[in-house]
Amino acid sequence: MFDDLCSLLFGCCNRPNENYRNNGRQQRPCCRRNPLIGPTGPRGPIGPTGPTGPAGGTTGPTGPTGATGVTGPTGPTGATGPTGPTGPTGITGLTGFTGPTGATGATGPTGPTGPTGAIGETGATGPTGPTGATGETGATGATGPTGPTGATGETGATGATGPTGPTGSTGPTGPTGATGETGATGATGPTGPTGATGETGATGATGPTGPTGATGETGATGATGPTGPTGATGPTGPIGPTGTEVQSAEFTATNETVTAGGNATLTAGTTTANNDSATLADNNQAITLQPGIYLIGYSANVTGATGTAELAYYLNGTQIPATLSQQTAAATTDVANLANIHVLNVTDESTLTLRNPGTNSETLNNLALSVTKIG
């Protein structure tokens, strides 16, 4: 009905489907022109297009940075500073007398190694070579797609119709006179108001993550750092304690036959035979020891034994098991090399003897026996 009234009063003639998108229904076309209304003025200009909706989804994340080139090798360590001077050596104990030369005895166990002098401070490490160049940054991921464009604003209203031209004079009745000329075109109506801003377009989907950038090239090897300066000379080591005078007693025997269970008869050394710590008794078999710590040892070539040749130290008549030395002899002419060294702690005045603990008599040659107080 509204369309019919519009056609009658204003002569509008809507084309099919022209405003379908705005009114939601199909417009009915005009079938005639209102003879009372002049021709429609030209359509006013279209209002400006509404602003474009925001751009599409955010740019995809930047690909990871290429791996950093490997660090150049560290420069060589500076030279070690010279070792500080060794403290003065303690006073050397008196040298014992040289026993008679004979067959070589069995090698005694090696004495403990003296402490190693302190090592000087190590020189400072040379500076680290420069880091290799960083690999190139991986390529940036592709930009996500642009969101859809917002809807176009509505078309401005049509300008007002120009005034109708004057009606031609009525002709005499009879044949219909010629149709009067069309009135002049009305002036162009004012520009319609700007259409409403279109709705903001929906945000575009986030673009896919860009591919991982290629690994940067390995940085060039850094130059070798300069050699560090020579370390400062270490401080002089403290002066070692004054060595104590070593009290040592030495005894020998040659071609000495010792019965089973008997003690060896000894001969005192010419220079260090007697001292305050170890003295040979009148029977020339027992050595009297004062309280202290002793390093005791013996070596001898033994013949005349059948089965097993044996020697051991006895303290106050009791065998010191750790000093027992044994060797099998197939015949009395076989030479057994017996030897031993031991650290002995004496708490009271005691007697020390060297005994044949076996069941056969034996002959001692080139016997050398030593008793040295070390503490």
Side-chain angles (χ1 to χ4, degrees):
M1 180 177 178
F2 176 81
D3 292 339
D4 294 339
L5 183 60
C6 177
S7 298
L8 178 63
L9 298 178
F10 302 105
C12 56
C13 185
N14 295 316
R15 289 185 293 276
N17 302 325
E18 179 179 349
N19 294 323
Y20 183 72
R21 65 167 176 247
N22 294 324
N23 298 328
R25 61 189 179 85
Q26 182 173 340
Q27 302 296 317
R28 187 172 59 192
C30 293
C31 58
R32 62 188 177 82
R33 180 182 299 276
N34 190 328
L36 301 179
I37 300 174
T40 301
R43 183 184 297 249
I46 297 174
T49 302
T52 303
T58 58
T59 303
T62 303
T65 303
T68 303
V70 296
T71 303
T74 303
T77 303
T80 303
T83 303
T86 305
T89 305
I91 300 172
T92 304
L94 299 175
T95 304
F97 78 98
T98 304
T101 304
T104 303
T107 302
T110 304
T113 304
T116 304
I119 298 175
E121 297 180 359
T122 303
T125 303
T128 305
T131 304
T134 304
E136 298 178 0
T137 304
T140 304
T143 304
T146 303
T149 302
T152 303
E154 298 179 359
T155 303
T158 304
T161 304
T164 305
T167 305
S169 57
T170 304
T173 303
T176 301
T179 302
E181 295 179 359
T182 302
T185 302
T188 301
T191 302
T194 302
T197 302
E199 296 180 0
T200 301
T203 302
T206 301
T209 301
T212 301
T215 301
E217 298 179 359
T218 301
T221 302
T224 302
T227 302
T230 302
T233 302
T236 302
I239 297 175
T242 303
T244 57
E245 183 179 359
V246 175
Q247 296 181 348
S248 179
E250 295 163 347
F251 310 89
T252 63
T254 300
N255 199 25
E256 171 72 18
T257 299
V258 182
T259 60
N263 296 324
T265 300
L266 306 173
T267 300
T270 58
T271 57
T272 58
N274 298 307
N275 55 47
D276 294 337
S277 300
T279 57
L280 183 62
D282 292 339
N283 63 5
N284 293 328
Q285 293 181 348
I287 301 171
T288 302
L289 301 178
Q290 300 303 316
I293 300 174
Y294 293 85
L295 183 66
I296 59 176
Y298 66 83
S299 65
N301 303 128
V302 180
T303 60
T306 56
T308 303
E310 301 178 69
L311 283 175
Y313 275 122
Y314 281 69
L315 184 67
N316 298 327
T318 301
Q319 185 186 106
I320 305 172
T323 65
L324 176 63
S325 179
Q326 298 174 306
Q327 187 172 334
T328 302
T332 57
T333 55
D334 289 350
V335 178
N337 297 314
L338 303 181
N340 184 268
I341 190 169
H342 179 70
V343 176
L344 177 65
N345 186 14
V346 177
T347 58
D348 298 304
E349 185 177 277
S350 303
T351 57
L352 181 70
T353 57
L354 182 66
R355 183 177 300 182
N356 170 14
T359 58
N360 302 299
S361 63
E362 54 193 23
T363 300
L364 307 181
N365 290 290
N366 305 315
L367 171 65
L369 184 152
S370 64
V371 178
T372 303
K373 187 176 182 182
I374 59 175

mmCIF file with all atom_site columns, all heavy atoms in Angstrom, residues 246-273:
data_model
loop_
_atom_site.group_PDB
_atom_site.id
_atom_site.type_symbol
_atom_site.label_atom_id
_atom_site.label_alt_id
_atom_site.label_comp_id
_atom_site.label_asym_id
_atom_site.label_entity_id
_atom_site.label_seq_id
_atom_site.pdbx_PDB_ins_code
_atom_site.Cartn_x
_atom_site.Cartn_y
_atom_site.Cartn_z
_atom_site.occupancy
_atom_site.B_iso_or_equiv
_atom_site.pdbx_formal_charge
_atom_site.auth_seq_id
_atom_site.auth_comp_id
_atom_site.auth_asym_id
_atom_site.auth_atom_id
_atom_site.pdbx_PDB_model_num
ATOM 1   N N   . VAL A 1 246 ? 119.400 -38.039 64.435 1.00 0.00 ? 246 VAL A N   1
ATOM 2   C CA  . VAL A 1 246 ? 118.996 -39.439 64.348 1.00 0.00 ? 246 VAL A CA  1
ATOM 3   C C   . VAL A 1 246 ? 119.951 -40.286 65.182 1.00 0.00 ? 246 VAL A C   1
ATOM 4   O O   . VAL A 1 246 ? 121.178 -40.198 65.038 1.00 0.00 ? 246 VAL A O   1
ATOM 5   C CB  . VAL A 1 246 ? 118.994 -39.912 62.883 1.00 0.00 ? 246 VAL A CB  1
ATOM 6   C CG1 . VAL A 1 246 ? 118.692 -41.406 62.826 1.00 0.00 ? 246 VAL A CG1 1
ATOM 7   C CG2 . VAL A 1 246 ? 117.993 -39.122 62.069 1.00 0.00 ? 246 VAL A CG2 1
ATOM 8   N N   . GLN A 1 247 ? 119.354 -41.099 66.033 1.00 0.00 ? 247 GLN A N   1
ATOM 9   C CA  . GLN A 1 247 ? 120.159 -42.020 66.833 1.00 0.00 ? 247 GLN A CA  1
ATOM 10  C C   . GLN A 1 247 ? 120.012 -43.406 66.228 1.00 0.00 ? 247 GLN A C   1
ATOM 11  O O   . GLN A 1 247 ? 118.932 -43.977 66.239 1.00 0.00 ? 247 GLN A O   1
ATOM 12  C CB  . GLN A 1 247 ? 119.701 -42.014 68.295 1.00 0.00 ? 247 GLN A CB  1
ATOM 13  C CG  . GLN A 1 247 ? 119.898 -40.668 68.980 1.00 0.00 ? 247 GLN A CG  1
ATOM 14  C CD  . GLN A 1 247 ? 119.463 -40.689 70.442 1.00 0.00 ? 247 GLN A CD  1
ATOM 15  O OE1 . GLN A 1 247 ? 118.815 -41.633 70.869 1.00 0.00 ? 247 GLN A OE1 1
ATOM 16  N NE2 . GLN A 1 247 ? 119.845 -39.669 71.186 1.00 0.00 ? 247 GLN A NE2 1
ATOM 17  N N   . SER A 1 248 ? 121.085 -43.898 65.668 1.00 0.00 ? 248 SER A N   1
ATOM 18  C CA  . SER A 1 248 ? 121.044 -45.178 64.974 1.00 0.00 ? 248 SER A CA  1
ATOM 19  C C   . SER A 1 248 ? 122.153 -46.089 65.503 1.00 0.00 ? 248 SER A C   1
ATOM 20  O O   . SER A 1 248 ? 123.267 -45.638 65.790 1.00 0.00 ? 248 SER A O   1
ATOM 21  C CB  . SER A 1 248 ? 121.227 -44.963 63.468 1.00 0.00 ? 248 SER A CB  1
ATOM 22  O OG  . SER A 1 248 ? 121.201 -46.194 62.788 1.00 0.00 ? 248 SER A OG  1
ATOM 23  N N   . ALA A 1 249 ? 121.783 -47.357 65.632 1.00 0.00 ? 249 ALA A N   1
ATOM 24  C CA  . ALA A 1 249 ? 122.774 -48.368 66.056 1.00 0.00 ? 249 ALA A CA  1
ATOM 25  C C   . ALA A 1 249 ? 122.771 -49.484 65.031 1.00 0.00 ? 249 ALA A C   1
ATOM 26  O O   . ALA A 1 249 ? 121.701 -49.886 64.556 1.00 0.00 ? 249 ALA A O   1
ATOM 27  C CB  . ALA A 1 249 ? 122.419 -48.904 67.436 1.00 0.00 ? 249 ALA A CB  1
ATOM 28  N N   . GLU A 1 250 ? 123.941 -49.999 64.673 1.00 0.00 ? 250 GLU A N   1
ATOM 29  C CA  . GLU A 1 250 ? 124.053 -51.026 63.643 1.00 0.00 ? 250 GLU A CA  1
ATOM 30  C C   . GLU A 1 250 ? 124.918 -52.165 64.171 1.00 0.00 ? 250 GLU A C   1
ATOM 31  O O   . GLU A 1 250 ? 125.897 -51.952 64.903 1.00 0.00 ? 250 GLU A O   1
ATOM 32  C CB  . GLU A 1 250 ? 124.662 -50.422 62.370 1.00 0.00 ? 250 GLU A CB  1
ATOM 33  C CG  . GLU A 1 250 ? 123.739 -49.370 61.757 1.00 0.00 ? 250 GLU A CG  1
ATOM 34  C CD  . GLU A 1 250 ? 124.466 -48.482 60.780 1.00 0.00 ? 250 GLU A CD  1
ATOM 35  O OE1 . GLU A 1 250 ? 125.700 -48.519 60.775 1.00 0.00 ? 250 GLU A OE1 1
ATOM 36  O OE2 . GLU A 1 250 ? 123.796 -47.747 60.038 1.00 0.00 ? 250 GLU A OE2 1
ATOM 37  N N   . PHE A 1 251 ? 124.509 -53.369 63.746 1.00 0.00 ? 251 PHE A N   1
ATOM 38  C CA  . PHE A 1 251 ? 125.178 -54.574 64.229 1.00 0.00 ? 251 PHE A CA  1
ATOM 39  C C   . PHE A 1 251 ? 125.348 -55.537 63.056 1.00 0.00 ? 251 PHE A C   1
ATOM 40  O O   . PHE A 1 251 ? 124.560 -55.519 62.104 1.00 0.00 ? 251 PHE A O   1
ATOM 41  C CB  . PHE A 1 251 ? 124.361 -55.233 65.346 1.00 0.00 ? 251 PHE A CB  1
ATOM 42  C CG  . PHE A 1 251 ? 123.962 -54.271 66.435 1.00 0.00 ? 251 PHE A CG  1
ATOM 43  C CD1 . PHE A 1 251 ? 122.771 -53.550 66.361 1.00 0.00 ? 251 PHE A CD1 1
ATOM 44  C CD2 . PHE A 1 251 ? 124.790 -54.059 67.525 1.00 0.00 ? 251 PHE A CD2 1
ATOM 45  C CE1 . PHE A 1 251 ? 122.419 -52.648 67.355 1.00 0.00 ? 251 PHE A CE1 1
ATOM 46  C CE2 . PHE A 1 251 ? 124.433 -53.161 68.522 1.00 0.00 ? 251 PHE A CE2 1
ATOM 47  C CZ  . PHE A 1 251 ? 123.250 -52.447 68.442 1.00 0.00 ? 251 PHE A CZ  1
ATOM 48  N N   . THR A 1 252 ? 126.371 -56.402 63.149 1.00 0.00 ? 252 THR A N   1
ATOM 49  C CA  . THR A 1 252 ? 126.653 -57.337 62.065 1.00 0.00 ? 252 THR A CA  1
ATOM 50  C C   . THR A 1 252 ? 126.956 -58.714 62.634 1.00 0.00 ? 252 THR A C   1
ATOM 51  O O   . THR A 1 252 ? 127.181 -58.896 63.835 1.00 0.00 ? 252 THR A O   1
ATOM 52  C CB  . THR A 1 252 ? 127.857 -56.848 61.238 1.00 0.00 ? 252 THR A CB  1
ATOM 53  O OG1 . THR A 1 252 ? 129.010 -56.816 62.087 1.00 0.00 ? 252 THR A OG1 1
ATOM 54  C CG2 . THR A 1 252 ? 127.603 -55.476 60.630 1.00 0.00 ? 252 THR A CG2 1
ATOM 55  N N   . ALA A 1 253 ? 126.994 -59.670 61.707 1.00 0.00 ? 253 ALA A N   1
ATOM 56  C CA  . ALA A 1 253 ? 127.424 -61.038 62.040 1.00 0.00 ? 253 ALA A CA  1
ATOM 57  C C   . ALA A 1 253 ? 127.824 -61.707 60.746 1.00 0.00 ? 253 ALA A C   1
ATOM 58  O O   . ALA A 1 253 ? 127.183 -61.500 59.701 1.00 0.00 ? 253 ALA A O   1
ATOM 59  C CB  . ALA A 1 253 ? 126.311 -61.813 62.724 1.00 0.00 ? 253 ALA A CB  1
ATOM 60  N N   . THR A 1 254 ? 128.862 -62.533 60.771 1.00 0.00 ? 254 THR A N   1
ATOM 61  C CA  . THR A 1 254 ? 129.321 -63.260 59.590 1.00 0.00 ? 254 THR A CA  1
ATOM 62  C C   . THR A 1 254 ? 129.649 -64.697 59.987 1.00 0.00 ? 254 THR A C   1
ATOM 63  O O   . THR A 1 254 ? 130.354 -64.933 60.989 1.00 0.00 ? 254 THR A O   1
ATOM 64  C CB  . THR A 1 254 ? 130.572 -62.594 58.990 1.00 0.00 ? 254 THR A CB  1
ATOM 65  O OG1 . THR A 1 254 ? 130.247 -61.256 58.610 1.00 0.00 ? 254 THR A OG1 1
ATOM 66  C CG2 . THR A 1 254 ? 131.065 -63.349 57.775 1.00 0.00 ? 254 THR A CG2 1
ATOM 67  N N   . ASN A 1 255 ? 129.136 -65.627 59.190 1.00 0.00 ? 255 ASN A N   1
ATOM 68  C CA  . ASN A 1 255 ? 129.361 -67.055 59.439 1.00 0.00 ? 255 ASN A CA  1
ATOM 69  C C   . ASN A 1 255 ? 128.964 -67.426 60.872 1.00 0.00 ? 255 ASN A C   1
ATOM 70  O O   . ASN A 1 255 ? 129.660 -68.141 61.578 1.00 0.00 ? 255 ASN A O   1
ATOM 71  C CB  . ASN A 1 255 ? 130.834 -67.416 59.182 1.00 0.00 ? 255 ASN A CB  1
ATOM 72  C CG  . ASN A 1 255 ? 131.022 -68.909 58.973 1.00 0.00 ? 255 ASN A CG  1
ATOM 73  O OD1 . ASN A 1 255 ? 130.107 -69.628 58.561 1.00 0.00 ? 255 ASN A OD1 1
ATOM 74  N ND2 . ASN A 1 255 ? 132.218 -69.412 59.278 1.00 0.00 ? 255 ASN A ND2 1
ATOM 75  N N   . GLU A 1 256 ? 127.773 -66.945 61.230 1.00 0.00 ? 256 GLU A N   1
ATOM 76  C CA  . GLU A 1 256 ? 127.242 -67.170 62.576 1.00 0.00 ? 256 GLU A CA  1
ATOM 77  C C   . GLU A 1 256 ? 126.198 -68.271 62.506 1.00 0.00 ? 256 GLU A C   1
ATOM 78  O O   . GLU A 1 256 ? 125.167 -68.139 61.845 1.00 0.00 ? 256 GLU A O   1
ATOM 79  C CB  . GLU A 1 256 ? 126.607 -65.880 63.100 1.00 0.00 ? 256 GLU A CB  1
ATOM 80  C CG  . GLU A 1 256 ? 125.832 -66.023 64.390 1.00 0.00 ? 256 GLU A CG  1
ATOM 81  C CD  . GLU A 1 256 ? 126.724 -66.229 65.587 1.00 0.00 ? 256 GLU A CD  1
ATOM 82  O OE1 . GLU A 1 256 ? 127.931 -65.935 65.494 1.00 0.00 ? 256 GLU A OE1 1
ATOM 83  O OE2 . GLU A 1 256 ? 126.229 -66.682 66.615 1.00 0.00 ? 256 GLU A OE2 1
ATOM 84  N N   . THR A 1 257 ? 126.465 -69.411 63.168 1.00 0.00 ? 257 THR A N   1
ATOM 85  C CA  . THR A 1 257 ? 125.499 -70.507 63.191 1.00 0.00 ? 257 THR A CA  1
ATOM 86  C C   . THR A 1 257 ? 124.543 -70.290 64.355 1.00 0.00 ? 257 THR A C   1
ATOM 87  O O   . THR A 1 257 ? 124.971 -70.102 65.513 1.00 0.00 ? 257 THR A O   1
ATOM 88  C CB  . THR A 1 257 ? 126.208 -71.858 63.334 1.00 0.00 ? 257 THR A CB  1
ATOM 89  O OG1 . THR A 1 257 ? 127.075 -72.043 62.211 1.00 0.00 ? 257 THR A OG1 1
ATOM 90  C CG2 . THR A 1 257 ? 125.209 -72.989 63.393 1.00 0.00 ? 257 THR A CG2 1
ATOM 91  N N   . VAL A 1 258 ? 123.236 -70.325 64.042 1.00 0.00 ? 258 VAL A N   1
ATOM 92  C CA  . VAL A 1 258 ? 122.198 -70.103 65.048 1.00 0.00 ? 258 VAL A CA  1
ATOM 93  C C   . VAL A 1 258 ? 121.351 -71.370 65.128 1.00 0.00 ? 258 VAL A C   1
ATOM 94  O O   . VAL A 1 258 ? 120.801 -71.832 64.123 1.00 0.00 ? 258 VAL A O   1
ATOM 95  C CB  . VAL A 1 258 ? 121.311 -68.899 64.693 1.00 0.00 ? 258 VAL A CB  1
ATOM 96  C CG1 . VAL A 1 258 ? 120.276 -68.655 65.785 1.00 0.00 ? 258 VAL A CG1 1
ATOM 97  C CG2 . VAL A 1 258 ? 122.157 -67.658 64.463 1.00 0.00 ? 258 VAL A CG2 1
ATOM 98  N N   . THR A 1 259 ? 121.273 -71.935 66.316 1.00 0.00 ? 259 THR A N   1
ATOM 99  C CA  . THR A 1 259 ? 120.482 -73.143 66.490 1.00 0.00 ? 259 THR A CA  1
ATOM 100 C C   . THR A 1 259 ? 119.001 -72.834 66.419 1.00 0.00 ? 259 THR A C   1
ATOM 101 O O   . THR A 1 259 ? 118.584 -71.668 66.513 1.00 0.00 ? 259 THR A O   1
ATOM 102 C CB  . THR A 1 259 ? 120.809 -73.790 67.837 1.00 0.00 ? 259 THR A CB  1
ATOM 103 O OG1 . THR A 1 259 ? 120.493 -72.862 68.879 1.00 0.00 ? 259 THR A OG1 1
ATOM 104 C CG2 . THR A 1 259 ? 122.290 -74.157 67.921 1.00 0.00 ? 259 THR A CG2 1
ATOM 105 N N   . ALA A 1 260 ? 118.183 -73.894 66.285 1.00 0.00 ? 260 ALA A N   1
ATOM 106 C CA  . ALA A 1 260 ? 116.736 -73.712 66.253 1.00 0.00 ? 260 ALA A CA  1
ATOM 107 C C   . ALA A 1 260 ? 116.286 -73.060 67.547 1.00 0.00 ? 260 ALA A C   1
ATOM 108 O O   . ALA A 1 260 ? 116.609 -73.522 68.637 1.00 0.00 ? 260 ALA A O   1
ATOM 109 C CB  . ALA A 1 260 ? 116.049 -75.050 66.056 1.00 0.00 ? 260 ALA A CB  1
ATOM 110 N N   . GLY A 1 261 ? 115.552 -71.936 67.431 1.00 0.00 ? 261 GLY A N   1
ATOM 111 C CA  . GLY A 1 261 ? 115.066 -71.223 68.604 1.00 0.00 ? 261 GLY A CA  1
ATOM 112 C C   . GLY A 1 261 ? 116.108 -70.359 69.258 1.00 0.00 ? 261 GLY A C   1
ATOM 113 O O   . GLY A 1 261 ? 115.829 -69.749 70.298 1.00 0.00 ? 261 GLY A O   1
ATOM 114 N N   . GLY A 1 262 ? 117.324 -70.251 68.703 1.00 0.00 ? 262 GLY A N   1
ATOM 115 C CA  . GLY A 1 262 ? 118.382 -69.469 69.319 1.00 0.00 ? 262 GLY A CA  1
ATOM 116 C C   . GLY A 1 262 ? 118.465 -68.062 68.779 1.00 0.00 ? 262 GLY A C   1
ATOM 117 O O   . GLY A 1 262 ? 117.939 -67.738 67.702 1.00 0.00 ? 262 GLY A O   1
ATOM 118 N N   . ASN A 1 263 ? 119.156 -67.188 69.537 1.00 0.00 ? 263 ASN A N   1
ATOM 119 C CA  . ASN A 1 263 ? 119.344 -65.796 69.130 1.00 0.00 ? 263 ASN A CA  1
ATOM 120 C C   . ASN A 1 263 ? 120.674 -65.623 68.416 1.00 0.00 ? 263 ASN A C   1
ATOM 121 O O   . ASN A 1 263 ? 121.654 -66.313 68.702 1.00 0.00 ? 263 ASN A O   1
ATOM 122 C CB  . ASN A 1 263 ? 119.324 -64.876 70.360 1.00 0.00 ? 263 ASN A CB  1
ATOM 123 C CG  . ASN A 1 263 ? 117.980 -64.894 71.073 1.00 0.00 ? 263 ASN A CG  1
ATOM 124 O OD1 . ASN A 1 263 ? 116.936 -64.993 70.438 1.00 0.00 ? 263 ASN A OD1 1
ATOM 125 N ND2 . ASN A 1 263 ? 118.021 -64.813 72.396 1.00 0.00 ? 263 ASN A ND2 1
ATOM 126 N N   . ALA A 1 264 ? 120.723 -64.696 67.485 1.00 0.00 ? 264 ALA A N   1
ATOM 127 C CA  . ALA A 1 264 ? 121.954 -64.395 66.765 1.00 0.00 ? 264 ALA A CA  1
ATOM 128 C C   . ALA A 1 264 ? 122.882 -63.595 67.664 1.00 0.00 ? 264 ALA A C   1
ATOM 129 O O   . ALA A 1 264 ? 122.457 -62.713 68.406 1.00 0.00 ? 264 ALA A O   1
ATOM 130 C CB  . ALA A 1 264 ? 121.638 -63.606 65.504 1.00 0.00 ? 264 ALA A CB  1
ATOM 131 N N   . THR A 1 265 ? 124.184 -63.936 67.607 1.00 0.00 ? 265 THR A N   1
ATOM 132 C CA  . THR A 1 265 ? 125.200 -63.180 68.335 1.00 0.00 ? 265 THR A CA  1
ATOM 133 C C   . THR A 1 265 ? 125.682 -62.053 67.432 1.00 0.00 ? 265 THR A C   1
ATOM 134 O O   . THR A 1 265 ? 126.026 -62.276 66.265 1.00 0.00 ? 265 THR A O   1
ATOM 135 C CB  . THR A 1 265 ? 126.362 -64.089 68.736 1.00 0.00 ? 265 THR A CB  1
ATOM 136 O OG1 . THR A 1 265 ? 125.858 -65.140 69.576 1.00 0.00 ? 265 THR A OG1 1
ATOM 137 C CG2 . THR A 1 265 ? 127.430 -63.313 69.479 1.00 0.00 ? 265 THR A CG2 1
ATOM 138 N N   . LEU A 1 266 ? 125.712 -60.830 67.975 1.00 0.00 ? 266 LEU A N   1
ATOM 139 C CA  . LEU A 1 266 ? 125.941 -59.652 67.173 1.00 0.00 ? 266 LEU A CA  1
ATOM 140 C C   . LEU A 1 266 ? 127.261 -58.991 67.511 1.00 0.00 ? 266 LEU A C   1
ATOM 141 O O   . LEU A 1 266 ? 127.791 -59.126 68.625 1.00 0.00 ? 266 LEU A O   1
ATOM 142 C CB  . LEU A 1 266 ? 124.802 -58.640 67.389 1.00 0.00 ? 266 LEU A CB  1
ATOM 143 C CG  . LEU A 1 266 ? 123.369 -59.174 67.172 1.00 0.00 ? 266 LEU A CG  1
ATOM 144 C CD1 . LEU A 1 266 ? 122.359 -58.125 67.580 1.00 0.00 ? 266 LEU A CD1 1
ATOM 145 C CD2 . LEU A 1 266 ? 123.167 -59.613 65.724 1.00 0.00 ? 266 LEU A CD2 1
ATOM 146 N N   . THR A 1 267 ? 127.769 -58.249 66.557 1.00 0.00 ? 267 THR A N   1
ATOM 147 C CA  . THR A 1 267 ? 128.947 -57.415 66.750 1.00 0.00 ? 267 THR A CA  1
ATOM 148 C C   . THR A 1 267 ? 128.533 -55.973 66.547 1.00 0.00 ? 267 THR A C   1
ATOM 149 O O   . THR A 1 267 ? 127.920 -55.631 65.521 1.00 0.00 ? 267 THR A O   1
ATOM 150 C CB  . THR A 1 267 ? 130.054 -57.786 65.743 1.00 0.00 ? 267 THR A CB  1
ATOM 151 O OG1 . THR A 1 267 ? 130.413 -59.157 65.942 1.00 0.00 ? 267 THR A OG1 1
ATOM 152 C CG2 . THR A 1 267 ? 131.270 -56.900 65.939 1.00 0.00 ? 267 THR A CG2 1
ATOM 153 N N   . ALA A 1 268 ? 128.871 -55.116 67.517 1.00 0.00 ? 268 ALA A N   1
ATOM 154 C CA  . ALA A 1 268 ? 128.477 -53.723 67.415 1.00 0.00 ? 268 ALA A CA  1
ATOM 155 C C   . ALA A 1 268 ? 129.267 -53.015 66.335 1.00 0.00 ? 268 ALA A C   1
ATOM 156 O O   . ALA A 1 268 ? 130.428 -53.326 66.077 1.00 0.00 ? 268 ALA A O   1
ATOM 157 C CB  . ALA A 1 268 ? 128.696 -53.013 68.754 1.00 0.00 ? 268 ALA A CB  1
ATOM 158 N N   . GLY A 1 269 ? 128.636 -52.029 65.684 1.00 0.00 ? 269 GLY A N   1
ATOM 159 C CA  . GLY A 1 269 ? 129.312 -51.234 64.669 1.00 0.00 ? 269 GLY A CA  1
ATOM 160 C C   . GLY A 1 269 ? 130.402 -50.383 65.273 1.00 0.00 ? 269 GLY A C   1
ATOM 161 O O   . GLY A 1 269 ? 130.395 -50.065 66.463 1.00 0.00 ? 269 GLY A O   1
ATOM 162 N N   . THR A 1 270 ? 131.336 -49.941 64.434 1.00 0.00 ? 270 THR A N   1
ATOM 163 C CA  . THR A 1 270 ? 132.522 -49.229 64.940 1.00 0.00 ? 270 THR A CA  1
ATOM 164 C C   . THR A 1 270 ? 132.244 -47.776 65.285 1.00 0.00 ? 270 THR A C   1
ATOM 165 O O   . THR A 1 270 ? 132.928 -47.195 66.122 1.00 0.00 ? 270 THR A O   1
ATOM 166 C CB  . THR A 1 270 ? 133.636 -49.289 63.887 1.00 0.00 ? 270 THR A CB  1
ATOM 167 O OG1 . THR A 1 270 ? 133.152 -48.714 62.684 1.00 0.00 ? 270 THR A OG1 1
ATOM 168 C CG2 . THR A 1 270 ? 134.076 -50.718 63.656 1.00 0.00 ? 270 THR A CG2 1
ATOM 169 N N   . THR A 1 271 ? 131.222 -47.151 64.643 1.00 0.00 ? 271 THR A N   1
ATOM 170 C CA  . THR A 1 271 ? 130.997 -45.712 64.863 1.00 0.00 ? 271 THR A CA  1
ATOM 171 C C   . THR A 1 271 ? 129.710 -45.420 65.623 1.00 0.00 ? 271 THR A C   1
ATOM 172 O O   . THR A 1 271 ? 129.622 -44.418 66.332 1.00 0.00 ? 271 THR A O   1
ATOM 173 C CB  . THR A 1 271 ? 130.966 -44.966 63.515 1.00 0.00 ? 271 THR A CB  1
ATOM 174 O OG1 . THR A 1 271 ? 129.948 -45.538 62.705 1.00 0.00 ? 271 THR A OG1 1
ATOM 175 C CG2 . THR A 1 271 ? 132.307 -45.080 62.828 1.00 0.00 ? 271 THR A CG2 1
ATOM 176 N N   . THR A 1 272 ? 128.698 -46.217 65.431 1.00 0.00 ? 272 THR A N   1
ATOM 177 C CA  . THR A 1 272 ? 127.405 -45.928 66.068 1.00 0.00 ? 272 THR A CA  1
ATOM 178 C C   . THR A 1 272 ? 126.921 -47.145 66.837 1.00 0.00 ? 272 THR A C   1
ATOM 179 O O   . THR A 1 272 ? 125.734 -47.432 66.882 1.00 0.00 ? 272 THR A O   1
ATOM 180 C CB  . THR A 1 272 ? 126.363 -45.520 65.010 1.00 0.00 ? 272 THR A CB  1
ATOM 181 O OG1 . THR A 1 272 ? 126.233 -46.573 64.057 1.00 0.00 ? 272 THR A OG1 1
ATOM 182 C CG2 . THR A 1 272 ? 126.773 -44.240 64.332 1.00 0.00 ? 272 THR A CG2 1
ATOM 183 N N   . ALA A 1 273 ? 127.861 -47.856 67.443 1.00 0.00 ? 273 ALA A N   1
ATOM 184 C CA  . ALA A 1 273 ? 127.473 -49.095 68.100 1.00 0.00 ? 273 ALA A CA  1
ATOM 185 C C   . ALA A 1 273 ? 126.594 -48.836 69.306 1.00 0.00 ? 273 ALA A C   1
ATOM 186 O O   . ALA A 1 273 ? 125.618 -49.536 69.530 1.00 0.00 ? 273 ALA A O   1
ATOM 187 C CB  . ALA A 1 273 ? 128.723 -49.859 68.517 1.00 0.00 ? 273 ALA A CB  1
#
